[in-house]
Amino acid sequence: TPMDAYNHQEIEKKWQEVWAKTKPGRAVEKGSDPVYNLVMFPYPSAAGLHVGHVESFTAVDILTRYQRMNGKNVLFPIGYDAFGLPAENYAVKTGVHPAETTNNAIKSFHRQMQSLGLSFDWDREISTCEPSYYRWTQWMFLELYKKGLAYKKKAAVNWCEKDQTVLANEQVVNGKCERCGTAVVQKEMSQWFFGITKFADRLLNGLEHLDWPDKIKAMQRNWIGKSEGAEISFVSGKETITVFTTRPDTLSGVTYVVLAPEHALVDALTTPAQKKEMDAYRLAAKGKSELERTQLEKDKSGVFTGSFAVHPVTGEQVQVWVSDYVITTYGTGAVMGVPAEDERDAAFAAKYKLEVRPVDASVVLPAFKTVTKYRLRDWLVSRQRYWGAPIPVVYDPEGNHHPVKEEHLPLILPTDVDYLPKGTSPIGSSKSYVELAEKLYGKGWRFETDTMDTFVDSSWYYLRYCDPANDATFADKKKLDYWAPVDLCVGGAEHAVLHLLYVRFFAFALHDAGYLPFEEPFTALRNQGMILGPDGEKMSKSKGNVVNPDDVVAEYGADSLRLYEMFMGPLEDMKPWDTKGIVGVRRFLDKVMKLSERVVDGENNPSLARAVHKAVKAVMADIPALRFNTAIAQMMTAANALQGSERIPRDTYAMFVRILAPFAPHAGEELWAQLGNKESVFSAGWPTFDEALATDDAAQIAVQVNGKLRGTISVDLKAESAAAKEAAAAEPNVAKHLEGKKVLKVVYVPGRLVNFVVQE
């Protein structure tokens, strides 16, 4: 069979052993032109590496190898986002400690990534669940604490009943836990928060200058949700209700005021007659998610407080209501009802038979203070789960919190715990933890038992890669200045307002504290599209449509898998897996390997040289733009040209091997060695092309009649204009449209088009 052209298992193993010794990915701080390429690090699940990981990792590996061949000093690191719920849930089920599950998963991820020929700097591998890493996660918590950016407060928080923990707003998707899909409820709890809202304006303005996908920027802008408006006071007895509105010009149309069920004034304004109904309503509101409460199409409900407030312009009495479509955390938690102008207010007024009053433009409005509000809330970081970084806070016997002393870091996660989630952190069940606190801080002192959200770990990992073994600080300033910020980050679009917002917040905060010379962590960002199962559905174990990279590597080879995933379509598109496609790229590789048998010395073949120079030029334009599918198509065209000749000049073939190598590194090294080279193909550098050879002699040009496309012809670029016009007029469809018409003039744009202007 044609697949015997090369034994991929033998060849790939051979070169991986060579690379393990020579460490081609090793990055050292030298030279003045460093590049930092990052792939979002994977969560090491027991299921192993996914073809989606292969897609982003291969894309950045090709770019990295190409940049190194062009003399750049590239940092391309990898690590593991290793804390989190799946390992802990597995421990609850089986009793296996999460550290054991995680370490086994990391070993297999490491093996799988190496089997793909990825040129990471393996010496910089980090894992967020190692004390040497989370010591600095805890140190960063303390830095934020010192600056007043980490604080504890009692608040209504998102609670997931299944995972038995609170969630950040960003982790609630359509009212459900983004991890397990359980409906999220509101619960009053005292929790730790990070003050991300202090940075709202900077997070918004910073987006202007980032080379990020528009979709991601739009999602962040929308999430931060800046709105300009006015605060207006309505007086009700002894109390003053302050409402926020983006439309103060509609004040004359206000017929009622609405408070959120959680508003501080509800108790004071509810009359005894309304109390029973109000209590029941507020209790029901607690069980609803923010999404359920605010959806436009949902039926609005509410309860009249029994109180009235004075309209600030007309002096009339307007009713004060409570409704769960008003959210405490947005604006002031109170809004004015203008049923003539707002569809939600109109639906509410219709249901409760409240007056609808048109806005009167002649009413003179009082002067308002303009205020700015944001949708963004502070980031809730406490988790009532075990497998995470312990929060470095200690409570005195009176219950006041204090930062753990820096010399006591890392505060190690205890192992004597019962993992069963009971709504409080499992660490609370550790005897050793209780004893340690008293030993270090005195009788009656106790550690915080909540752990940190895993998104805290991933908010700064790119900094640790710059100096992963440092015990004295999270990274040496000189190394940070040399590598960071990241030039290009590639990862999934699902992190738009989670990882990608948090990582920016951390960089701003560390910049302000004097640790980073830059504010934005990732200069450029690209998203890879999802790879769907062969059935066009999202891959999932339950659907049985998961493609395991190991199986593909065993059967077709890592180079075939790399080429196939890059050839499926544009990097950012969603694309279904198709095994026929992988057979096709494997045949291409076989063809290229076989061509080596036709290599001859000392000959020149201008048409083959032209095909390869053209490919070099095209691939050079495509790789930096991450257009890998078109780059591979160009190489396939060149390989077809080479196949058409019985004799292939050595330098032409060698040039082709060098441009194939970043895509198919094992085949590249093998063919390069077969050509008699002692050093690696990647030290050979990127080939330079000759512009005269790389430029087409012939071009496809459009032929128009009165500006309408009527055909295309192939014209020699050196052709005289008369010859081009003659060829255009002879094209059958064009000739048909010119028949019997008077040609007024002929416009020729060399290499582009011929247009016949005729009398209609």
Side-chain angles (χ1 to χ4, degrees):
T1 68
M3 284 188 47
D4 298 337
Y6 78 107
N7 178 338
H8 60 261
Q9 285 167 327
E10 205 175 281
I11 289 172
E12 291 181 352
K13 184 167 178 282
K14 165 176 129 186
W15 289 107
Q16 283 163 21
E17 283 169 5
V18 170
W19 296 331
K21 289 192 198 76
T22 56
K23 299 191 176 181
R26 196 156 165 259
V28 186
E29 293 77 16
K30 67 169 193 315
S32 58
D33 202 5
V35 175
Y36 187 169
N37 292 337
L38 184 73
V39 285
M40 291 183 189
F41 60 172
Y43 167 74
S45 77
L49 204 64
H50 186 280
V51 288
H53 294 124
V54 176
E55 183 184 15
S56 55
F57 296 2
T58 301
V60 184
D61 187 57
I62 293 168
L63 175 69
T64 296
R65 288 175 180 277
Y66 166 79
Q67 289 167 331
R68 289 187 187 131
M69 286 173 87
N70 280 290
K72 302 258 195 251
N73 187 19
V74 188
L75 173 60
F76 180 38
I78 193 65
Y80 308 95
D81 194 4
F83 272 138
L85 274 172
E88 184 173 343
N89 288 344
Y90 185 74
V92 170
K93 236 180 14 218
T94 61
V96 180
H97 193 279
E100 196 182 318
T101 326
T102 304
N103 283 330
N104 290 339
I106 285 175
K107 281 196 192 85
S108 64
F109 264 64
H110 178 94
R111 174 192 59 75
Q112 288 180 298
M113 292 190 292
Q114 289 205 316
S115 80
L116 292 165
L118 298 165
S119 63
F120 291 126
D121 183 346
W122 294 102
D123 294 347
R124 294 176 187 253
E125 236 174 332
I126 58 177
S127 167
T128 60
C129 69
E130 293 297 327
S132 60
Y133 181 90
Y134 70 71
R135 165 197 182 158
W136 299 108
T137 306
Q138 292 173 332
W139 177 87
M140 290 192 183
F141 182 99
L142 296 178
E143 279 295 305
L144 293 171
Y145 184 96
K146 276 187 227 161
K147 301 273 183 298
L149 290 170
Y151 65 91
K152 195 174 192 189
K153 73 163 182 194
K154 201 175 155 100
V157 297
N158 305 305
W159 178 260
C160 173
E161 200 43 59
K162 180 160 179 232
D163 290 329
Q164 288 281 302
T165 185
V166 298
L167 303 171
N169 290 342
E170 291 79 9
Q171 287 161 326
V172 180
V173 179
N174 293 337
K176 297 184 170 77
C177 168
E178 59 117 25
R179 258 207 43 75
C180 70
T182 306
V184 168
V185 294
Q186 299 290 301
K187 211 174 175 179
E188 274 279 317
M189 286 171 86
S190 183
Q191 296 287 287
W192 287 97
F193 290 86
F194 285 165
I196 192 171
T197 51
K198 288 202 171 76
F199 297 86
D201 266 327
R202 286 164 68 188
L203 287 166
L204 210 48
N205 299 337
L207 292 169
E208 295 301 317
H209 314 291
L210 290 179
D211 175 14
W212 284 24
D214 289 337
K215 184 177 77 174
I216 301 283
K217 292 194 198 186
M219 286 168 83
Q220 290 210 356
R221 283 192 188 102
N222 182 39
W223 188 257
I224 295 165
K226 182 176 183 174
S227 54
E228 303 279 333
E231 286 189 346
I232 300 174
S233 296
F234 287 78
V235 177
S236 176
K238 291 202 287 273
E239 309 294 347
T240 299
I241 302 166
T242 304
V243 301
F244 173 72
T245 177
T246 54
R247 295 282 313 276
D249 55 307
T250 64
L251 182 60
S252 60
V254 172
T255 58
Y256 64 98
V257 173
V258 194
L259 309 180
E262 302 82 3
H263 197 289
L265 292 178
V266 176
D267 284 329
L269 295 175
T270 304
T271 58
Q274 297 296 96
K275 188 173 176 356
K276 195 172 160 211
E277 193 185 349
M278 186 65 77
D279 289 349
Y281 184 78
R282 293 173 84 187
L283 192 64
K286 268 191 162 56
K288 288 190 189 175
S289 70
E290 183 168 328
L291 183 85
E292 284 178 289
R293 286 174 53 169
T294 53
Q295 270 175 333
L296 277 173
E297 60 280 5
K298 278 272 170 26
D299 189 27
K300 300 291 163 272
S301 64
V303 177
F304 177 40
T305 59
S307 294
F308 294 82
V310 178
H311 191 295
V313 175
T314 64
E316 290 174 340
Q317 296 278 331
V318 296
Q319 295 187 2
V320 180
W321 281 71
V322 167
S323 172
D324 61 13
Y325 78 82
V326 182
I327 301 290
T328 336
T329 51
Y330 178 74
T332 59
V335 298
M336 55 190 215
V338 189
E341 291 284 327
D342 180 281
E343 62 178 297
R344 257 197 320 208
D345 296 349
F348 191 79
K351 180 167 178 176
Y352 295 108
K353 303 194 170 32
L354 297 165
E355 186 193 348
V356 178
R357 177 179 295 188
V359 171
D360 179 354
S362 68
V363 172
V364 182
L365 298 176
F368 302 117
K369 194 170 100 232
T370 306
V371 286
T372 306
K373 297 282 183 192
Y374 299 90
R375 179 182 165 199
L376 182 69
R377 295 289 129 237
D378 277 347
W379 173 16
L380 194 169
V381 295
S382 320
R383 294 293 174 271
Q384 290 66 49
R385 297 294 303 235
Y386 169 69
W387 191 234
I391 292 177
V393 164
V394 65
Y395 295 90
D396 62 29
E398 282 73 60
N400 307 307
H401 51 77
H402 307 268
V404 162
K405 294 184 177 132
E406 208 176 305
E407 63 266 27
H408 295 154
L409 297 185
L411 186 53
I412 304 268
L413 193 59
T415 49
D416 56 333
V417 296
D418 154 19
Y419 319 112
L420 283 175
K422 354 181 184 357
T424 56
S425 174
I427 300 180
S429 69
S430 160
K431 266 179 59 183
S432 67
Y433 214 52
V434 173
E435 287 160 10
L436 181 66
E438 296 208 324
K439 185 180 130 204
L440 295 177
Y441 295 93
K443 194 101 191 85
W445 286 68
R446 58 185 177 84
F447 288 129
E448 171 63 75
T449 56
D450 283 351
T451 53
M452 279 185 250
D453 180 6
T454 53
F455 280 100
V456 180
D457 312 325
S458 56
S459 290
W460 71 278
Y461 71 113
Y462 69 101
L463 301 171
R464 188 62 176 170
Y465 283 140
C466 297
D467 194 9
N470 199 324
D471 293 338
T473 174
F474 69 92
D476 173 77
K477 193 158 175 13
K478 278 211 272 303
K479 291 182 178 182
L480 271 180
D481 289 358
Y482 182 78
W483 293 116
V486 170
D487 293 288
L488 172 70
C489 173
V490 175
E494 67 277 9
H495 292 298
V497 298
L498 285 151
H499 173 51
L500 290 170
L501 192 62
Y502 298 153
V503 80
R504 295 181 65 217
F505 157 65
F506 255 65
F508 278 113
L510 288 167
H511 168 269
D512 290 2
Y515 294 105
L516 302 181
F518 54 88
E519 288 189 324
E520 290 289 352
F522 306 154
T523 309
L525 173 80
R526 296 292 178 268
N527 302 128
Q528 80 279 8
M530 193 185 284
I531 294 184
L532 305 169
D535 54 0
E537 299 284 328
K538 187 176 169 178
M539 288 190 189
S540 72
K541 273 202 290 229
S542 60
K543 290 203 194 87
N545 63 353
V546 176
V547 175
N548 179 347
D550 282 356
D551 301 340
V552 184
V553 170
E555 188 170 351
Y556 300 99
D559 285 349
S560 298
L561 175 58
R562 290 170 61 113
L563 279 165
Y564 171 61
E565 290 207 20
M566 296 298 98
F567 192 50
M568 288 172 88
L571 185 67
E572 62 284 357
D573 286 8
M574 276 170 79
K575 20 201 186 285
W577 184 272
D578 177 13
T579 305
K580 290 200 291 292
I582 199 152
V583 174
V585 294
R586 171 63 203 237
R587 283 204 192 109
F588 159 68
L589 269 182
D590 287 329
K591 179 197 296 182
V592 172
M593 303 290 284
K594 270 214 165 78
L595 292 174
S596 65
E597 298 158 14
R598 306 186 190 176
V599 170
V600 293
D601 282 322
E603 280 193 25
N604 184 18
N605 180 328
S607 83
L608 295 189
R610 180 161 279 139
V612 173
H613 279 257
K614 258 176 75 175
V616 173
K617 180 182 179 181
V619 172
M620 271 185 86
D622 283 340
I623 292 178
L626 310 187
R627 291 191 301 259
F628 304 111
N629 55 327
T630 59
I632 294 167
Q634 293 286 348
M635 290 192 284
M636 288 175 166
T637 304
N640 287 340
L642 294 174
Q643 201 183 17
S645 172
E646 284 307 307
R647 301 161 74 78
I648 302 172
R650 177 177 297 272
D651 55 352
T652 302
Y653 186 69
M655 197 171 193
F656 183 79
V657 169
R658 278 151 73 189
I659 65 169
L660 175 69
F663 296 82
H666 310 87
E669 291 279 35
E670 182 67 18
L671 291 170
W672 191 244
Q674 280 178 20
L675 285 168
N677 296 294
K678 293 281 172 279
E679 88 285 23
S680 161
V681 64
F682 297 104
S683 351
W686 187 259
T688 46
F689 64 90
D690 177 339
E691 187 62 65
L693 287 173
T695 307
D696 270 320
D697 280 354
Q700 290 293 318
I701 69 170
V703 185
Q704 300 174 339
V705 178
N706 282 354
K708 282 207 176 75
L709 181 67
R710 296 300 182 195
T712 55
I713 55 165
S714 180
V715 175
D716 186 337
L717 290 176
K718 299 180 188 70
E720 295 296 311
S721 115
K725 291 172 185 173
E726 201 175 320
E731 201 278 338
N733 192 45
V734 176
K736 198 173 84 189
H737 281 89
L738 293 178
E739 209 175 318
K741 299 263 173 70
K742 185 177 178 201
V743 178
L744 301 174
K745 68 171 179 180
V746 187
V747 182
Y748 173 49
V749 181
R752 296 286 298 283
L753 68 92
V754 176
N755 182 25
F756 294 93
V757 182
V758 301
Q759 208 162 13
E760 284 294 356

